[in-house]
Amino acid sequence: MEDLSSLSDNDLIIEARNGNDPAFTTLVYRHDRNVLSMIAHYCKSSDDAKDIYQEVFLRVYKGLKRFEFRSEFKTWLFRITTNVCLTHQASYRRYQKVSISPDEEGMNPKVEIRSPEEHEPDKQFINAEMKGDIQSAVDSLAPKQKMAFMLKHMHDYKIKEIAKMMDCSEGTIKKYLFIATEKLRLKLKTI
Amino acid sequence: MEHENYKNQLILYSYNELKKDERNEFERHLLGCGSCKNELEELKRIHQLVKVNLVEELDEDTLFESRQELLADIRNLKRKKFTLQKIWEFFTLPSPTNLKIAYSFAAVVLMVTASYFFYFDKAGNQLLSGSNIAAADSKLTNLQFINSDFDKGEVEITYEQIVPVKLKGNVNDAEIQKVLAKSLIDNENPGIRLKAVNAIYSEKRSTTSGVVKDALIKAMMYDDNPGVRKEAMHALCNIPFDEKISDAMIYVLQNDKNSGLRIQAINCLNEKNDVKRLSDPNIKNVLKNRMQEDDNSYIKLRAKTMLTKLES
């Protein structure tokens, strides 16, 4: 039996298109850890993460026949993932009651950052609280700014790659990164 | 270049996204600009802060469950597609056989429709006369009066009638299997659920109906009572193994809180020795996970042995 794990993504796609299910499974298992770790930054519960995971890979499964090999499979997969995450976040925000501050995009919740002096002297607690503050600061970014920022920082993609994944120009991604960094710099000043 | 322009390049520099000549020029500027140097340090600190604090361990359980659900969804999708394709072919590719089937189908539809009307007519008469109420040893619940005029002596009522039914037959009869499967899932009394499993498996059989198999799988995975789960697993271990059963066994091995059941699941998987199925990377992951994390040393050892066997 052929060892599917040694095949390239494109070969696996061709196999999967011909009805070879294990080829599709191999393709999924090769990339789904990255997809799930990206999703994890976008939703709070594992149930939501599972829903997004299903949606992403079902879209991939249904769209595999239309894949034209013009970009890498990984780029296409992440483009789908970013779309599903952004759609999910948009609907999540629609139904979330959050306090909204009238900043430039008019949709970022206020983040309250405590000064280090206010923190309890327990190191573990401080770490957990700091982590929470950072998470809130990142969560307060507009969805596309957050997506660009996370792809850059947590997954180390190049601006060019992020532009392809998010289906916009490199200039737009740079703008998102500038704004995101600037906001975080202000919010995390006291940490 | 103006100082402001260099400031704009700071972020790109920190991301290593400047072209070589731009980078060299920026580094020359940095040597003489304390403000840019400080800002760059601050930027690096922020990036580091985010990176270190937001890295999260991948939740292996979520990954495993997502994979299982995806595979199940794809199987359903394929099944649906296959059925639709068959229906389409049936209508688009006429052949003598298809025509015969079409005529038979039409006849069946006609008969079902006729019996439906016949039955309802009868049922209606029965409701009006109420002839079987007094005779039957039945229990009436949810009785409600609608549009009744007591002055004129007219009543219109609705109710649910529970009629005791006695069923006698072989445990292999489809009707009896359906009743047993339903009580295995729905009955509130664990003793009855246990009896249902035992009745289903009171004798060996080569084939098992899908309803019974599904009920056993559900009971093995989700029943509150470990005894019922155990008996359901025992029954499943004794019928022809398939993908659905092995997926359910893997689920128990991964999730059941009762170590006895996890042991029984791994023993059953080992006994079936379905190498092709067990070689699935997903299942291997579960075995690896059990080998490393299970609090029961026997399961750890069993998982290790199975993995070694699969990899040799």
Side-chain angles (χ1 to χ4, degrees), chain A residues 6-190:
Chain A
S6 62
L7 294 183
S8 69
D9 283 356
N10 286 351
D11 289 336
L12 287 173
I13 292 170
I14 293 167
E15 286 290 322
R17 279 176 169 181
N18 292 330
N20 184 344
D21 283 345
F24 181 72
T25 312
T26 309
L27 193 64
V28 171
Y29 289 3
R30 188 176 287 173
H31 296 285
D32 66 350
R33 284 174 176 274
N34 279 335
V35 168
L36 198 61
S37 96
M38 187 166 154
I39 294 170
H41 294 298
Y42 271 81
C43 50
K44 306 288 172 215
S45 76
S46 65
D47 283 343
D48 285 348
K50 280 194 269 180
D51 286 348
I52 296 179
Y53 178 101
Q54 300 304 317
E55 166 115 31
V56 168
F57 283 108
L58 283 177
R59 280 195 197 186
V60 169
Y61 181 75
K62 288 174 186 165
L64 218 51
K65 284 214 178 323
R66 294 190 301 276
F67 183 68
E68 290 172 344
F69 300 100
R70 283 192 295 205
S71 63
E72 275 186 51
F73 170 75
K74 200 171 76 175
T75 310
W76 181 60
L77 171 66
F78 273 73
R79 185 183 298 174
I80 293 175
T81 312
T82 52
N83 279 335
V84 178
C85 284
L86 290 173
T87 314
H88 172 82
Q89 204 177 27
S91 59
Y92 179 77
R93 281 175 180 239
R94 209 173 298 140
Y95 296 106
Q96 274 288 93
K97 286 182 182 169
V98 289
S99 104
I100 304 289
S101 71
D103 77 342
E104 71 200 75
E105 301 219 19
M107 59 184 298
N108 295 339
K110 239 178 211 164
V111 177
E112 194 183 302
I113 308 285
R114 293 192 198 170
S115 68
E117 295 78 36
E118 285 177 88
H119 294 170
E120 291 292 319
D122 178 67
K123 201 180 170 189
Q124 217 176 355
F125 176 75
I126 293 173
N127 282 343
E129 198 169 9
M130 185 167 83
K131 199 172 171 176
D133 287 345
I134 294 168
Q135 183 70 60
S136 311
V138 172
D139 286 345
S140 75
L141 297 173
K144 287 186 176 173
Q145 291 165 11
K146 180 181 168 187
M147 178 62 80
F149 187 81
M150 296 309 275
L151 286 169
K152 185 74 208 164
H153 284 265
M154 308 310 290
H155 302 275
D156 292 322
Y157 284 110
K158 289 275 171 199
I159 289 178
K160 200 174 165 182
E161 293 172 301
I162 301 173
K164 278 186 190 162
M165 287 174 197
M166 292 180 63
D167 209 11
C168 53
S169 69
E170 289 181 41
T172 310
I173 299 299
K174 283 180 190 170
K175 196 180 86 186
Y176 288 152
L177 291 173
F178 281 126
I179 298 172
T181 310
E182 212 43 51
K183 282 182 181 171
L184 291 180
R185 192 148 59 168
L186 285 173
K187 286 177 173 167
L188 302 178
K189 205 182 261 178
T190 51

Side-chain angles (χ1 to χ4, degrees), chain B residues 50-85:
Chain B
V50 172
K51 199 156 194 163
V52 169
N53 283 285
L54 293 192
V55 170
E56 276 177 22
E57 286 285 306
L58 193 69
D59 181 357
E60 289 295 332
D61 286 348
T62 308
L63 182 68
F64 173 74
E65 284 163 21
S66 303
R67 284 175 170 179
Q68 293 296 102
E69 282 173 26
L70 178 70
L71 296 182
D73 281 355
I74 288 175
R75 274 198 295 271
N76 285 340
L77 214 63
K78 287 190 91 165
R79 211 173 294 141
K80 213 165 139 188
K81 203 172 149 191
F82 180 76
T83 314
L84 286 174
Q85 199 177 342

